[in-house]
Amino acid sequence: GRMGTNQHLLRSLVPIIEQGGIRVSETEVIMPDPVLTGRNPVKLETLSKRSGIEKWTTDVDALLSDEAYSVYFDAQTTDRRVAAVTRAIEAGKHVYCEKPLTHSIYEARMLTEEALVSGVVTQMGIQGHSNEGTRFLCEWIWAGVIGHVREVHVWTNRPLWPQGIER
């Protein structure tokens, strides 16, 4: 989809790969090795050529069973997300997932429980809050730099488009 293609693949992963990965210490560099997945092989091949990411597949089950990959990223439509993320968690994959996570509180609780039982790490992508500045602020809070925090309020100019489910 548009979110996964533009924001995550072309504006994040491809530049990280082009710069040689992310240096996390003097001796360690994290280099993403993505596999594009989807339902349409023609679109996947086109995206592969556009992005320079050579690996792609329409067989998500085979990819989930591949131990070489420990993370599953989901940016597909919300109506497909719960089933796909559940399969990834059951396969022992850590999950980074776009919002909205689910259509209901029940589905969100079900995914949370499955992740806890499976012992995987999950994160929902909320771009305004998944950045270095937010990480620094969390580290300051955890280290007690700014004292005891009882409440946090966050404002954003997003979303810029209509939200919600028609009932």
Side-chain angles (χ1 to χ4, degrees):
R2 180 178 44 84
M3 179 75 73
T5 298
N6 293 327
Q7 183 161 335
H8 297 289
L9 180 63
L10 299 176
R11 292 187 195 136
S12 295
L13 285 172
V14 170
I16 288 170
I17 293 167
E18 288 172 348
Q19 75 181 16
I22 298 173
R23 179 169 298 284
V24 293
S25 72
E26 291 294 320
T27 59
E28 184 179 10
V29 174
I30 298 173
M31 177 61 79
D33 183 23
V35 178
L36 305 175
T37 61
R39 298 175 303 279
N40 185 324
V42 174
K43 288 182 179 181
L44 285 169
E45 186 172 18
T46 300
L47 183 57
S48 172
K49 290 176 182 172
R50 179 178 171 203
S51 66
I53 305 297
E54 295 178 5
K55 299 177 192 175
W56 61 269
T57 184
T58 59
D59 190 349
V60 177
D61 290 327
L63 191 57
L64 290 176
S65 66
D66 189 338
E67 292 184 15
Y69 296 95
S70 60
V71 176
Y72 173 77
F73 168 67
D74 190 296
Q76 64 184 320
T77 58
T78 308
D79 62 313
R80 292 185 170 97
R81 185 161 296 133
V82 172
V85 169
T86 298
R87 287 183 13 233
I89 291 171
E90 288 172 348
K93 305 300 181 189
H94 304 291
V95 175
Y96 182 90
C97 181
E98 262 312 319
K99 66 176 183 189
L101 177 61
T102 65
H103 280 301
S104 71
I105 293 171
Y106 170 78
E107 290 174 338
R109 287 180 176 160
M110 184 184 72
L111 285 177
T112 300
E113 181 62 29
E114 186 67 37
L116 288 170
V117 168
S118 298
V120 297
V121 175
T122 62
Q123 179 177 343
M124 185 169 63
I126 304 174
Q127 295 76 27
H129 304 108
S130 298
N131 57 46
E132 191 171 1
T134 301
R135 184 180 59 81
F136 283 139
L137 183 57
C138 288
E139 289 176 2
W140 294 341
I141 292 169
W142 297 329
V145 172
I146 60 175
H148 179 72
V149 177
R150 296 184 342 183
E151 190 171 340
V152 175
H153 296 265
V154 179
W155 287 267
T156 179
N157 67 341
R158 297 180 84 174
L160 303 174
W161 54 90
Q163 297 290 299
I165 303 169
E166 300 222 7
R167 302 205 188 263

